[in-house]
Each structure stands twice: as C-alpha cells, then as structure tokens.
Amino acid sequence: NNNDPSPAKVKVEEFELMAENAGITYVARGMEEYRGCPQFMEAVSELQKQRPNLQTVILGADRVAYGAKRKDGKSFKEWALDEFEFDHSRLHFMGLTGLTVFRDLMRITSAHIYLTAPFVLSWSLLEAMSTGALIIGSDTDPVKEVITHEKNGLLVPFFETDKLIAQVNEALTVKSEYRSCCVKARETITST
C-alpha cells in the first residue's frame, strides 16, 4: 500500500527553495475527475521517476466538489496513492488555503497544471494567470477561452497523460523559452 496517511505539508518559503529547478502546482476545490485529478496524479508518479528533484504542491480538499464519487468508496486521492508509486517527501498536500498562499505559490511555481473537463472555468486559473505563472492546461473549451497554446500558456489533451508528462518535462527543461507565455498570461487578465 502506497497510501501515506499523513502527507507532508510545505510552507511557501520551503517550496521556493525546493522548486529552484522543478516545482509544479495543482489546485482544485476537490480532487475529482472533472478537474483531471486521476490524470494529474498518474503524471506526477511518472514525472517523479524521471525528475528526481521534482517537487509537487497540491492545494485542495480530499473530496468531490463536482461530479460523481468513486463507486469503491475511496476518494480520488486515496485511490491515486494506492494506484501509483510516489516519493511522499516530494509530494505535498496543503488542503484548502487562503488566497495569499495560493498567489505566493503561483509566483514561484515552475509550471501550474490546470485540467478540467468541459465545465465551468475555475477562478483559480485566472488568478494563476494574473501572477504570471506558466500554465499547462487542458485543451478543453473552457480553458481555450482564455489560453492560446504557446501564446499565453500551453495546452494538452485532457485524457492523454503521456502528452501532459511530455509537456511538463519540456517546460521544466527549457523554462526560459516560455517567459513570454507568462508575461502574456498576466496581460490577458490585467488588460480585461
């Protein structure tokens, strides 16, 4: 059983030190299918194997806010921790946090992963863009309303975890090449 009953918490300052080379973030009210939690957790498991310095911070409650719960009674977090291998010292669940902590994390993340099924766009994506974070989002209708691939963010197919992994790897390897995306993400929000 890979389930860690007391996952690590990390302070923003600690994440900044750990994330100098590679730190990714994921935010959702609940860990659920609508927000791509299963794909994200599978991607993190594989990315940890490929990138020994990768740190991952997850903000959100261990619940389903939108959509259906799992039929086996497990939460999506519990399922993921059982299903995939993780280095728990580099996987940080922070629960629900205030806006200040969220914004601080967005300012220092190497890449913020935002996945959603065709559904209501989350305020967290707009907030993340306003901080100039590099967004790797799902190529779904609500996200495409605000992000154009390689202009103000990066888009990947919602269900194709291998493409998410490849895009995160590329973004972390050549971070400087995506600085203009970060600037344009912020401009998208501040100019409207």
Side-chain angles (χ1 to χ4, degrees), residues 4-24:
D4 178 7
S6 57
K9 284 206 173 197
V10 63
K11 294 181 180 168
V12 172
E13 299 80 17
E14 293 170 341
F15 180 61
E16 185 170 18
L17 292 172
M18 294 184 297
E20 285 180 9
N21 296 316
I24 62 173

Side-chain angles (χ1 to χ4, degrees), residues 72-98:
D72 61 9
K74 291 181 180 179
S75 70
F76 283 97
K77 176 183 171 184
E78 291 168 334
W79 167 81
L81 293 176
D82 285 342
E83 183 74 15
F84 306 112
E85 278 184 47
F86 295 101
D87 175 349
H88 292 279
S89 69
R90 297 186 288 130
L91 182 64
H92 312 281
F93 294 93
M94 294 183 65
L96 295 172
T97 64

Side-chain angles (χ1 to χ4, degrees), residues 10 13 23 29-30 37-39 45 50 54 57 67 78 80 89 98 111 119 136 145 148 160 168 171 176:
V10 63
E13 299 80 17
R29 287 178 59 204
C37 178
Q39 298 93 295
S45 175
Q50 297 175 16
L54 180 73
V57 172
E78 291 168 334
S89 69
F119 188 57
I136 300 176
E145 290 175 19
T148 301
E160 296 184 39
V168 171
S176 61

Side-chain angles (χ1 to χ4, degrees), residues 40-82:
F40 174 75
M41 295 301 285
E42 180 180 357
V44 169
S45 175
E46 183 57 35
L47 285 162
Q48 281 190 336
K49 294 171 190 156
Q50 297 175 16
R51 306 187 77 90
N53 294 325
L54 180 73
Q55 298 288 335
T56 303
V57 172
I58 299 169
L59 275 62
D62 186 15
R63 66 175 184 182
V64 171
Y66 304 110
K69 295 181 179 180
R70 289 182 55 82
K71 291 180 180 171
D72 61 9
K74 291 181 180 179
S75 70
F76 283 97
K77 176 183 171 184
E78 291 168 334
W79 167 81
L81 293 176
D82 285 342

